[in-house]
Amino acid sequence: MRYRVSFVNELPNDSGHMFRCCQQSFEIYRARSRERAIEAAKLRFARHQAVRDWRARATAIEVEVISDDET
């Protein structure tokens, strides 16, 4: 399966309402599971952002299946 894993933050806008802002997203090709795709994306994100832990730059992870190679 192929996944898109996005790292997002919740930030306040000018009126104080929170909104979700995508920091960066990665396409993970041929992951065996959703969990493996997330772990691979966490490593990429941390490397790209030059941090040890992805949570230093994002507050949440969103995952979507892009394609199912099994069909």
Side-chain angles (χ1 to χ4, degrees), residues 42-43 45-57:
K42 284 178 182 178
L43 291 173
F45 182 70
R47 191 168 50 239
H48 280 262
Q49 296 289 321
V51 295
R52 290 180 189 252
D53 189 334
W54 66 271
R55 292 171 284 204
R57 299 280 193 267

Side-chain angles (χ1 to χ4, degrees), residues 1-4 27-31 64-71:
M1 296 188 74
R2 194 166 110 196
Y3 298 88
R4 179 176 295 118
E27 287 190 19
I28 305 297
Y29 298 91
R30 302 176 67 93
E64 72 178 290
V65 175
I66 297 174
S67 70
D68 185 352
D69 297 338
E70 297 172 7
T71 58

Side-chain angles (χ1 to χ4, degrees), residues 6-9 11 21-25 45 49 57-59:
S6 300
F7 295 84
V8 297
N9 266 330
L11 303 169
C21 176
C22 181
Q23 297 300 103
Q24 192 168 14
S25 63
F45 182 70
Q49 296 289 321
R57 299 280 193 267
T59 56

Side-chain angles (χ1 to χ4, degrees), residues 1 3 5 28-44 63:
M1 296 188 74
Y3 298 88
V5 182
I28 305 297
Y29 298 91
R30 302 176 67 93
R32 291 183 182 173
S33 68
R34 180 181 187 277
E35 290 75 23
R36 285 190 181 208
I38 292 170
E39 291 305 315
K42 284 178 182 178
L43 291 173
R44 284 190 196 175
V63 182

